[in-house]
Amino acid sequence: MFELSQTFHFDAAHTLRRKDASKPELRASRRIHGHSYTAEVSLRGEPSPETGMLLDLAVLRAEIAVVREGLDHHHLDEVPGLGVPTLENLCLYIHRALAHLPGLHAVTVWRASSGDRCRYAP
């Protein structure tokens, strides 16, 4: 069994409408703010006997480029189908957008500056 991964980066802004905004650090997230994100898409399976590849990386990169275009330098609150712009929903959104890829196994999204990371592997 092989796992093939590709990472990509995007910068985006969002807000979070937290119910308990009594603490200053929670109130701040209600204002529009941005992050630099890194995402990793992982495929799992056996390579094709003809090509020796699980999936041609050029194909994977092209598919990811479409998803990245819809997120990079966007206001995530306005991205159709994303929902509340949390790390969890970003993982799910990317996974759904790439669900047609053979062997799609997991999507991980993180923000290195804050150490936050989320992984979706259904």
Side-chain angles (χ1 to χ4, degrees):
M1 185 68 62
F2 290 84
E3 189 167 310
L4 181 68
S5 297
Q6 180 68 47
T7 61
F8 66 100
H9 307 278
F10 62 98
D11 297 304
H14 73 115
T15 62
L16 285 178
R17 300 288 177 211
R18 292 192 161 114
K19 290 180 183 181
D20 179 15
S22 59
K23 297 178 182 174
E25 64 272 15
L26 297 180
R27 274 196 304 273
S29 66
R30 294 177 67 104
R31 294 189 301 269
I32 191 166
H33 61 283
H35 300 283
S36 293
Y37 295 89
T38 302
E40 180 180 58
V41 176
S42 299
L43 309 177
R44 184 180 280 178
E46 294 295 332
S48 161
E50 293 105 31
T51 66
M53 295 183 275
L54 186 60
L55 181 69
D56 188 323
L57 283 171
V59 172
L60 181 57
R61 288 183 187 118
E63 295 288 338
I64 286 172
V66 174
V67 175
R68 183 183 180 277
E69 177 65 28
L71 297 171
D72 191 41
H73 287 84
H74 281 76
H75 185 210
L76 297 179
D77 299 53
E78 299 171 355
V79 172
L82 177 60
V84 179
T86 61
L87 289 175
E88 294 87 346
N89 281 340
L90 281 166
C91 285
L92 188 57
Y93 176 85
I94 295 167
H95 193 278
R96 286 180 179 157
L98 299 174
H100 61 281
L101 294 176
L104 180 61
H105 172 65
V107 173
T108 306
V109 177
W110 67 93
R111 299 183 301 223
S113 63
S114 59
D116 304 324
R117 177 183 297 264
C118 183
R119 183 170 192 257
Y120 178 67

